[in-house]
Structures are given as structure tokens and as C-alpha cells.
Amino acid sequence: MSKAGDEMTPRTNEQNNAIRRQRIYQIKNIAAKVFLEKGINMEIGDIAKKANLGRGTIYHYYNNKITLLEDLLSEALEEAKKNTIEIINTNELPLVKLEQYARRQLKLWVEQPFVFILFKNYLLQSEFIPAKNNDEILKDFQTYLYIPIVKTIEEGIHSGQLVSVDSDTAVKLFFGALVGTVHSYIKQNDSLYLTVDTQWIDDIITILFKGLKA
Amino acid sequence: MSKAGDEMTPRTNEQNNAIRRQRIYQIKNIAAKVFLEKGINMEIGDIAKKANLGRGTIYHYYNNKITLLEDLLSEALEEAKKNTIEIINTNELPLVKLEQYARRQLKLWVEQPFVFILFKNYLLQSEFIPAKNNDEILKDFQTYLYIPIVKTIEEGIHSGQLVSVDSDTAVKLFFGALVGTVHSYIKQNDSLYLTVDTQWIDDIITILFKGLKA
Amino acid sequence: MSKAGDEMTPRTNEQNNAIRRQRIYQIKNIAAKVFLEKGINMEIGDIAKKANLGRGTIYHYYNNKITLLEDLLSEALEEAKKNTIEIINTNELPLVKLEQYARRQLKLWVEQPFVFILFKNYLLQSEFIPAKNNDEILKDFQTYLYIPIVKTIEEGIHSGQLVSVDSDTAVKLFFGALVGTVHSYIKQNDSLYLTVDTQWIDDIITILFKGLKA
Amino acid sequence: MSKAGDEMTPRTNEQNNAIRRQRIYQIKNIAAKVFLEKGINMEIGDIAKKANLGRGTIYHYYNNKITLLEDLLSEALEEAKKNTIEIINTNELPLVKLEQYARRQLKLWVEQPFVFILFKNYLLQSEFIPAKNNDEILKDFQTYLYIPIVKTIEEGIHSGQLVSVDSDTAVKLFFGALVGTVHSYIKQNDSLYLTVDTQWIDDIITILFKGLKA
DNA sequence: CATGAATGAGGATTCATTCAT
DNA sequence: GATGAATGAATCCTCATTCAT
């Protein structure tokens, strides 16, 4: 109705891009939290409300719920990949690598819960995420995040550094303990990821590796 | 028509009760499986189809989805309570009790997955189950299943048998590792609970307790 | 299962008929009460429970809910018809006939609530009863119960005995007042129709006819 | 695309509110009509179809059927309360008050049928409306709509203006006649509330009060 | 870019009715 | 004759998604 618009300068491309980036960041972060609470039953309306946006606005940035989740998982994959590669591709002994990896992983999960979502969902397969590229993500998860650890654990076992058990069992315990334990530590501090007390991380690692060592 | 003489009753009460018992048993079992797969998104239709029954039949026995879940959880609670009491109320040393408990728990979970559901949901708070008596179950869970273990772990720490860490951390690791690890072992064997290979259980327990011991 | 039946004499036809009659009477009476409470939303289960019968038993006597209602309404129609004819077909003056009719009607309704149902539903048309012969009953209602009163009221007006108003209005008030008022008096005494205090009936009639008289 | 300048808001709040107000008004009105026809068996689909809206739209404004009914009844209560207070709280003689009240009430019922619904349902208890605040409405109905009339009628009787009968009987007749009679006059004119012929109202009042006067 | 009104597919639930015993 | 287990059509209701503004 209003023909107003004396400020005919509509908005520069750059300004728009900035808004866009900021909105996507915001949405993704909130979505991660909501997903953590409600899983696949996360509602677009929940996100919109928490973000103080209209439901339509979410759809302005994401075609649908699945796309949003895919984006979330993809980014988590990248983040975790970086972390994994960095540590696993060193020349340390398997045991050292695993310990460093575990410690870093726990920190990462607590600081960026959406990365935790990735692990929780593909390890605990709590629920099937009907993402179109779900298989692709799963494959990448296997390739870049899971197999490297499996390999390292196998190395550890064969080299006699780790307990001599079926490697499959060891892997399941390794990831299971991490994911299962961390869960309780997430969701509590609503955004104060910075001031996290990390004593528990050290304790978890200590105990877990005492058990795993040969 | 009927040759049954003057038996006015078409089916005896006992016959009906038998049918009921059998149906409820069947429904509960199938529901547990479906829940394990789809969580709270379990559909009545899924259960009906798997049971080869009409949707209405499920409703003949349960007022609604929630009631069915409540029944599932209540029974799981009883089952787990039995297990917990039996072991925790002995005169063994804390460490021994915990180890026995863990071993029995794992077996129970694999054999009766819906007991696992109970733990998974109240420990990991995976998904909010909108049970009317949710609070009651949660309270019972705390009282009869959680606290006793917490106490035992505390005893273990104070008596110097277990590693000297914050007891809260130890508890979280203890349960987290069990729940996180077992997850992978459930859902696979679709009904062959009998021929379960239990080597992995021993391995898990061994490693976990090696880590936890002082 | 039981081949028992030493009493090979199954049951005489007469015995069966007696049972049949008794059951139908019982069902109809209870159905009337339930209908009075819940209208067309009356559930077969309600009737069965109140009658201490199985749901199936109701269907043994009535093909479906509608048939049961039809039977109820038909019988009510007969009952009311008798009442109406008896009084209207006398040689009394219109006013006298109407007063006698009203008084008898009120008594009848209180004593046999299912007759009241008929009037309530076709006068207040509270809800459409999907009876197959609904139209037929409606027609009979008009012919045998409604029109005679309309005629009598018209006579009364034309003869100067009744107030000089549009006869349609007078009819509506006549029936409306009876049905509307009686409603409160039904449903209370659950079966003690015998010991009804009838003072209120006299009062209602007195007031109503004082108003209607010229 | 938009010529609206930098108006970030697609529709102003005021525009949205206007839409909401209009829709709610529309839905409520149609619901009242449908309820009048089908009672508690009113279907959301009926309303939607009559309003040329999707079923979902009704749910956009009302959480469920009950809430919609509650809103209907609450508004009716307010409307009737206004009417009652206005007339009963004057200094007129009881008889005058009652007559004015009855006349106004009849007009109100015809013009706003959902006010009639309120009276019909709480006086005749035609059908149980499972409103959550059913008790509250019932209490308000008693307090603000019923008791004042009961009191006035009692005054009238004690002061010798009204016939000397049990006041309870008088009240039942008073309301019963109004509700019972008006029923026939509603539902017919589908929206032509404006050109209502009110002769019958005068006639009803005249006759009724002739009967009630001492 | 932003939004909330509108929608309908899909899953939950009710209840009349059938039918084997 | 008597019954309650079984069923599915019909309705309620939720929520992802579209779209006009």
C-alpha cells in the first residue's frame, strides 16, 4: 500500500548478503538446540519462535525441514572431519592419537552441539533422518569419521597397546562411552559454551583409557 | 445351532481372559520393537500391521498410544527393579555389586529391549515421552534404579575401590558407557534372543571396570 | 468345548419367546433413558453396560442403533396416539379437551419418558434422527399427534374460547411450554415413576390455560 | 518485486489483526448455525465447508472443537448477562421487569441464535457439552442469568403480583415456555435477522404473563 | 527480505457393527 | 440366546508447507 520509500536506495547486495549469512547462522544454531531436545520431531514453529522470526522466514532460507537438517549435518561433518584428520593423520602412536582424539571430540561436542547430533544420530541411530542425501552423509560419516577410528583402534590392538578384544567391541565401547556419557553434559548450559568446566572430560578420558590400555 | 448344551456363555470368561492376555502380550512385544525403531513416532498402524491386526484392535486393548507406552515402561520398570534390588541388596563389596549389576543389566537389555528403552529414555532423555504418569515413572526410575547405583558408586569411591573422581562423573560414565555401547547390539537379531553371543558383554564389562577400579 | 448338556431339553419355544420379550422390554427401557441423556450420541455400549449385557446381545435383538430408535419412537407414537385420540375425539368443548389433553400428556411423559422423547425430537427437532422411516414417523406424528391439536386450538380460537392470536403462535406456545417445562422434571427420579408428586402438573396447566383462555 | 519501499513487514500487524478478527467472527457465526443444526455433532468440516475455508484454517484459530464452543458460549454469556443486568437491576416492579426481560430475551435469541444455544443447553441440558470450563460457564449461568430471574419471580410471588405457586414451578414454566416456544422460530430465516416479524413475540409474552399474573 | 494466514496430507481415535464361539 | 474380540469407516487434529502481501 504505502508508496513511501523516500529512501529509494533499497539495500546493497552486500548488505543483503550480510543479513543472509547472519540469519542462516542464527537459524542453524537454534535448530541444533531444538533438534537436540526434540529430535526429528523438531518443529519449524519451535525454531521460528525461539529465533523470534516468522515461520515463513525459516522457509525463506531453507526449502524444508530436511534441507535444514542436511545443512546442519553437513556442516557438522565438515567440522568433525577437520578434527579427525588433524589428529589421526599424525605420526603419534595409536593410543596417543585416540586419546587426543577423544579429548578433542568431547570438547567439540560440548562447544558445538550440532556436531554431537551427527554422532548421536549415526552411532545411536536413534531415529532415521529422512534426508535426501542421508545415505551420502552416512557414507561420508563412515569414510571420514568412523573408519579412521576403527583403523586406529585395530592398529592399537594389533600393536599390543590396547586390550586384546574383538576390535568391533572395542570400537563400540569407545564411541558408545563417549556419546553416552557426553549426552548428560549437553543441553544444560544454554549458550555459555565458553566457560565450560572441563574437569569431567579429563576424568572420562582417564578412566576410559585406563580400561582400554593393554 | 451350538452343540454346547445350555451353556449360555459363548466363550467362558477364562477363554476370554486367555485371549486378552495373549493379545496384550503380543501387542506389547511388537510395540517395543516398533518403538525401538521409530521412537515416539511409532504409529499404531505400524503395530497393527506387524501384528496382523486391525488398528481398532490395538485400541480395544489400549486407550491410546500413550497408555500403551506407559504400560511398556511400567513393566520395564518392574523388571529392572527386580534386577537392581536383587543385586544391590547383597553384602558384596561395591565393586563386585556394580560388576554383577552391569553384566546382568546388559543381558536384560538385550533380552528385553523395552527395558533398554526405559534406560535410554530416562538417562539420555532421548525424547520426551508424553506419558501422563511420566513424572511418576521418572521418580520411580530415580528412586529404584538410579539412586541405588549412585549410592553404590559413591561407596566404591569412598572406600577406595573405585577411581577417585567426582561421583557424578563416574555415574554418568558408568551408565553412559552401558547405554551407549549396548545400543549397537540391539535391533539386530529380530527375535533370536536365545542364541545371543555374550562374549562382547564380558569384554565390555572387563574394559569398563578396569577403567573404573582404583 | 464343553459337550456337557445332560439337560438335553434345550428350551421350549415359549421359554425363548418369554426371554425375548423380556429382553426387548429391558433394552428399550434402558435405551430410552440413555437417549434422554445423550440423544443421538447414545452408544450401544452405554445401553449394554446399564443392562448388564454384552454389546453383542443388543445386536441380537436389534439390527442396529437406528432400528432400536425406530422401535422406540414407533411405540411412543402408538402410546401417544392412544392418548390423543381418546381425548380429542370426545364431544367436550375445545378448551376442556386441550386441558385434559395437556394434563394427560404431562403425566404420560413423566411416567414413560420414551414418549417424551418423541415429542421433544419432533417438536424441538434437537437433532435429526437418521431413521430409515424417519419421514414416516414424522408424518404419523403430524397426522395423529400434531394436527389434531392444531385443529382443536383453531376451533378454540374461532369459537372465542381461546385468546385471539395467530393459531400457529398458540400452537407453538402450547407445545413449547409443555415440552420445555417438562424437561426439567424428567431424568431425575431414576425409576420411581410411580410415586410422582403431581402438584406441579396442576400448577403448570392452571397457569398455561389462564394465559390461553380468551 | 514489491513497490513498498523498505517496509520489511509484509502485512502490518494491524492488517493481520483485522484479518483475524474478521475470520474469527465469520467462524463463530457459522459455527453457531451449524451447532444449532447438529448440536454437539457439529463437524469442523461442516464449518469449514460453509465458510469456504480449509479444515486447517479453523484449527488455525481454534485449538479444537471444544475451544470453539467455549468461545461461543462465553460470548453468549456476556451478551445475555448484559441484557439481564440491564433490566433486572432497575427499580420497576417484578412483573414489569420480568415482562421486559422476556421480551428482550426472545428478541436477543432470535437475533443471536448462539445466545439461545446457551439457554437451551443449560436449561434443558439437551446435550452435555464437554467444555473444559463447562462447570465455570454453568456456574456463571446460574449466578448471572438464572438466579436473578429466580429471585425476581420469588419477589413477584411474595408481593402478590404473580400467581401463588411453588416458585420453582413458576421458574421452570417461565424459562421452559420461552425456550420451548422460541425453538420453532429459530433456524428458519437463515440470515435475514433484520426483517424479523415480531408479532409472535408480543403474543407469546401476552399469553404467558396473563397466565402468570396473580 | 519477512511474514502469518491458509491449507491438506497423514496419523490418532471413536464407535457401530460383525462374527466365531 | 449370548458374548466380547475384532474391525474399519469416519472424524478429530497436527504440522510441514505454500503464498499473497
Side-chain angles (χ1 to χ4, degrees):
Chain A
M1 292 305 163
S2 125
K3 299 194 218 145
D6 53 334
E7 293 285 4
M8 282 311 274
T9 9
R11 211 190 259 137
T12 65
N13 258 351
E14 191 36 54
Q15 279 175 312
N16 274 334
N17 283 338
I19 291 179
R20 212 179 162 75
R21 254 177 279 122
Q22 148 63 19
R23 276 277 180 269
I24 288 185
Y25 178 80
Q26 177 194 18
I27 291 173
K28 221 185 308 194
N29 259 62
I30 292 179
K33 270 181 210 153
V34 176
F35 187 88
L36 222 42
E37 278 173 25
K38 315 215 325 186
I40 193 64
N41 288 117
M42 158 188 84
E43 293 168 32
I44 293 294
D46 295 333
I47 301 172
K49 194 172 289 175
K50 273 209 179 190
N52 234 294
L53 293 172
R55 264 202 313 296
T57 309
I58 311 294
Y59 282 93
H60 192 66
Y61 292 99
Y62 288 101
N63 287 322
N64 53 48
K65 207 164 94 167
I66 300 311
T67 316
L68 171 48
L69 275 177
E70 286 178 351
D71 194 27
L72 215 58
L73 292 177
S74 293
E75 188 172 332
L77 193 73
E78 285 317 307
E79 206 65 38
K81 208 152 114 179
K82 234 188 306 174
N83 195 37
T84 305
I85 290 174
E86 229 168 73
I87 296 178
I88 296 300
N89 286 355
T90 63
N91 288 318
E92 300 287 348
L93 289 176
L95 194 59
V96 177
K97 287 202 267 189
L98 286 172
E99 197 170 324
Q100 286 182 344
Y101 170 83
R103 194 183 307 276
R104 289 272 291 260
Q105 203 64 277
L106 292 192
K107 259 187 203 143
L108 181 60
W109 290 350
V110 176
E111 283 162 13
Q112 307 205 300
F114 71 95
V115 180
F116 176 64
I117 289 177
L118 179 70
F119 281 83
K120 185 186 162 204
N121 270 280
Y122 287 99
L123 288 173
L124 297 200
Q125 294 166 54
S126 299
E127 12 189 22
F128 175 66
I129 296 182
K132 269 160 229 142
N133 60 359
N134 187 45
D135 288 345
E136 197 189 321
I137 294 180
L138 178 55
K139 204 179 130 233
D140 282 2
F141 180 83
Q142 296 278 356
T143 311
Y144 299 114
L145 305 183
Y146 196 70
I147 307 278
I149 302 304
V150 172
K151 289 247 172 76
T152 310
I153 287 180
E154 283 173 348
E155 281 176 43
I157 293 176
H158 296 151
S159 71
Q161 280 194 294
L162 294 187
V163 281
S164 164
V165 295
D166 182 62
S167 70
D168 187 51
T169 304
V171 170
K172 279 174 176 162
L173 176 61
F174 180 73
F175 276 121
L178 293 185
V179 173
T181 306
V182 154
H183 206 285
S184 338
Y185 288 99
I186 295 195
K187 286 213 260 188
Q188 313 187 348
N189 22 11
D190 207 12
S191 58
L192 313 174
Y193 296 142
L194 305 173
T195 61
V196 174
D197 161 38
T198 58
Q199 177 58 50
W200 65 269
I201 294 188
D202 288 333
D203 290 342
I204 298 292
I205 301 292
T206 306
I207 298 174
L208 181 58
F209 277 86
K210 184 143 72 75
L212 284 170
K213 267 181 212 152
Chain B
M1 296 297 166
S2 114
K3 299 195 221 136
D6 66 349
E7 275 294 337
M8 237 19 118
T9 330
R11 265 198 223 99
T12 63
N13 256 352
E14 194 35 58
Q15 280 175 310
N16 274 327
N17 283 339
I19 292 178
R20 289 187 74 80
R21 248 178 282 123
Q22 145 64 19
R23 272 281 175 268
I24 288 181
Y25 179 81
Q26 178 194 18
I27 291 173
K28 225 186 307 196
N29 261 62
I30 292 180
K33 269 179 212 154
V34 176
F35 187 88
L36 218 47
E37 278 172 25
K38 315 215 326 186
I40 194 64
N41 290 115
M42 158 187 86
E43 290 168 32
I44 292 294
D46 295 334
I47 300 173
K49 195 170 288 173
K50 274 210 179 192
N52 231 294
L53 293 171
R55 274 198 312 294
T57 308
I58 313 296
Y59 283 97
H60 185 64
Y61 291 99
Y62 288 100
N63 288 324
N64 52 48
K65 212 161 86 167
I66 300 310
T67 317
L68 172 47
L69 276 177
E70 287 178 350
D71 194 24
L72 225 53
L73 292 176
S74 293
E75 189 172 329
L77 193 73
E78 285 316 307
E79 208 63 40
K81 207 153 115 180
K82 233 188 303 171
N83 196 34
T84 304
I85 290 175
E86 230 167 73
I87 295 178
I88 295 301
N89 285 355
T90 63
N91 287 318
E92 302 287 347
L93 290 177
L95 195 58
V96 176
K97 288 202 265 188
L98 288 172
E99 197 171 324
Q100 286 182 344
Y101 170 83
R103 194 182 309 276
R104 290 270 293 260
Q105 204 64 279
L106 292 193
K107 260 186 203 143
L108 181 61
W109 289 352
V110 175
E111 283 162 14
Q112 310 206 308
F114 66 93
V115 179
F116 176 65
I117 290 175
L118 178 70
F119 280 83
K120 186 183 163 207
N121 272 282
Y122 286 96
L123 286 173
L124 301 199
Q125 294 158 48
S126 287
E127 2 186 30
F128 175 66
I129 297 183
K132 268 166 226 136
N133 61 358
N134 189 44
D135 288 345
E136 198 190 321
I137 293 181
L138 178 54
K139 203 180 131 235
D140 281 2
F141 181 84
Q142 297 278 356
T143 310
Y144 299 113
L145 305 183
Y146 194 71
I147 307 278
I149 302 304
V150 171
K151 288 246 172 77
T152 310
I153 287 180
E154 283 174 349
E155 282 176 42
I157 293 177
H158 295 150
S159 70
Q161 280 193 294
L162 294 186
V163 281
S164 166
V165 295
D166 183 60
S167 70
D168 186 52
T169 303
V171 169
K172 279 174 177 163
L173 176 60
F174 179 74
F175 277 121
L178 294 184
V179 172
T181 306
V182 158
H183 204 284
S184 337
Y185 288 99
I186 295 196
K187 286 213 259 191
Q188 313 187 349
N189 22 9
D190 209 10
S191 58
L192 314 174
Y193 297 142
L194 305 173
T195 61
V196 174
D197 162 37
T198 58
Q199 177 58 50
W200 65 268
I201 294 187
D202 289 332
D203 291 343
I204 298 292
I205 301 291
T206 306
I207 297 175
L208 182 58
F209 278 84
K210 184 142 72 77
L212 284 170
K213 267 180 214 153
Chain C
M1 291 303 164
S2 123
K3 297 195 220 143
D6 52 333
E7 293 285 4
M8 281 311 271
T9 10
R11 211 190 263 141
T12 65
N13 257 353
E14 191 36 55
Q15 280 177 310
N16 274 335
N17 282 339
I19 291 179
R20 212 179 162 72
R21 252 176 282 122
Q22 147 63 19
R23 276 277 179 270
I24 288 185
Y25 178 79
Q26 178 193 19
I27 291 173
K28 221 186 306 195
N29 259 61
I30 292 180
K33 269 180 210 153
V34 176
F35 187 87
L36 222 43
E37 277 173 24
K38 316 214 325 185
I40 192 65
N41 289 116
M42 159 188 83
E43 292 168 32
I44 292 294
D46 295 334
I47 300 173
K49 193 171 290 173
K50 273 210 179 190
N52 233 295
L53 293 171
R55 263 202 311 296
T57 309
I58 310 295
Y59 282 93
H60 191 66
Y61 292 99
Y62 287 102
N63 287 322
N64 52 48
K65 208 165 92 167
I66 300 311
T67 316
L68 172 48
L69 275 177
E70 287 177 351
D71 195 25
L72 216 58
L73 293 177
S74 293
E75 189 172 332
L77 193 72
E78 285 316 309
E79 205 64 39
K81 210 152 111 179
K82 233 188 303 172
N83 195 38
T84 305
I85 290 175
E86 230 167 73
I87 296 178
I88 296 302
N89 286 354
T90 62
N91 287 317
E92 300 288 347
L93 290 177
L95 193 60
V96 177
K97 289 202 266 188
L98 287 172
E99 196 170 325
Q100 285 182 344
Y101 169 82
R103 194 182 309 276
R104 290 272 290 261
Q105 203 65 277
L106 292 192
K107 260 188 203 142
L108 181 60
W109 290 350
V110 176
E111 283 162 13
Q112 307 205 299
F114 72 94
V115 180
F116 176 64
I117 289 176
L118 178 71
F119 282 82
K120 185 185 162 205
N121 270 280
Y122 287 98
L123 288 173
L124 298 200
Q125 295 166 53
S126 299
E127 12 190 21
F128 175 67
I129 296 183
K132 270 161 230 141
N133 60 0
N134 187 45
D135 288 344
E136 197 189 320
I137 294 180
L138 178 55
K139 204 179 129 233
D140 282 2
F141 180 83
Q142 297 277 355
T143 310
Y144 299 113
L145 305 182
Y146 196 70
I147 306 278
I149 302 305
V150 172
K151 288 247 172 74
T152 311
I153 286 180
E154 283 174 349
E155 282 176 41
I157 292 176
H158 295 147
S159 70
Q161 279 195 295
L162 294 187
V163 281
S164 165
V165 296
D166 182 62
S167 70
D168 186 52
T169 303
V171 170
K172 278 174 175 162
L173 176 61
F174 180 73
F175 276 121
L178 293 185
V179 173
T181 306
V182 154
H183 206 287
S184 337
Y185 288 100
I186 294 196
K187 285 213 258 189
Q188 312 187 350
N189 21 9
D190 207 10
S191 57
L192 313 174
Y193 297 142
L194 305 174
T195 61
V196 174
D197 161 37
T198 57
Q199 176 58 48
W200 65 269
I201 295 188
D202 289 332
D203 289 343
I204 298 292
I205 301 291
T206 305
I207 297 175
L208 181 58
F209 278 84
K210 185 143 71 77
L212 284 169
K213 266 181 214 152
Chain D
M1 296 298 164
S2 113
K3 299 196 220 135
D6 66 348
E7 274 294 337
M8 236 22 117
T9 330
R11 263 198 226 101
T12 63
N13 256 352
E14 194 34 58
Q15 279 175 311
N16 274 325
N17 283 338
I19 293 178
R20 289 188 75 81
R21 249 177 282 125
Q22 145 65 19
R23 272 280 175 270
I24 288 182
Y25 178 80
Q26 177 195 18
I27 291 174
K28 225 186 304 196
N29 262 62
I30 292 180
K33 270 179 211 154
V34 176
F35 187 89
L36 218 47
E37 278 172 25
K38 316 214 327 185
I40 194 64
N41 290 113
M42 158 186 86
E43 290 167 33
I44 292 294
D46 295 333
I47 300 173
K49 194 170 290 173
K50 275 209 178 193
N52 232 294
L53 293 171
R55 275 198 311 294
T57 307
I58 312 296
Y59 285 98
H60 185 63
Y61 291 98
Y62 288 100
N63 288 323
N64 52 49
K65 214 161 83 166
I66 300 311
T67 317
L68 172 47
L69 276 177
E70 287 178 349
D71 195 22
L72 224 53
L73 292 177
S74 293
E75 190 172 328
L77 193 73
E78 286 315 308
E79 209 63 39
K81 208 153 114 180
K82 233 188 304 173
N83 196 35
T84 305
I85 290 175
E86 231 167 73
I87 296 179
I88 297 300
N89 286 354
T90 62
N91 287 318
E92 302 288 347
L93 290 176
L95 193 59
V96 177
K97 287 202 264 189
L98 288 172
E99 197 170 325
Q100 286 182 346
Y101 169 82
R103 194 183 308 276
R104 289 271 292 260
Q105 203 64 280
L106 292 193
K107 259 185 204 144
L108 181 60
W109 289 352
V110 176
E111 283 163 12
Q112 310 206 310
F114 65 94
V115 179
F116 176 65
I117 290 176
L118 178 71
F119 279 83
K120 184 183 163 207
N121 271 282
Y122 286 96
L123 286 173
L124 301 199
Q125 294 158 49
S126 288
E127 0 186 31
F128 176 65
I129 296 183
K132 268 166 225 135
N133 61 358
N134 189 43
D135 289 344
E136 198 190 319
I137 293 181
L138 178 54
K139 205 179 129 234
D140 281 2
F141 181 83
Q142 297 278 357
T143 310
Y144 299 114
L145 305 183
Y146 195 70
I147 307 278
I149 301 304
V150 172
K151 288 246 170 77
T152 310
I153 287 180
E154 284 174 348
E155 280 176 44
I157 293 177
H158 295 149
S159 70
Q161 281 195 294
L162 294 186
V163 281
S164 166
V165 296
D166 183 59
S167 70
D168 187 51
T169 303
V171 169
K172 279 174 176 164
L173 175 62
F174 178 74
F175 276 122
L178 293 185
V179 172
T181 306
V182 157
H183 204 285
S184 338
Y185 288 99
I186 295 196
K187 288 212 259 187
Q188 312 186 351
N189 22 8
D190 209 8
S191 58
L192 313 175
Y193 296 142
L194 305 173
T195 59
V196 174
D197 161 38
T198 58
Q199 178 58 48
W200 64 268
I201 295 187
D202 288 332
D203 290 344
I204 299 291
I205 301 290
T206 306
I207 298 175
L208 181 58
F209 277 85
K210 185 141 72 77
L212 284 170
K213 265 181 214 152

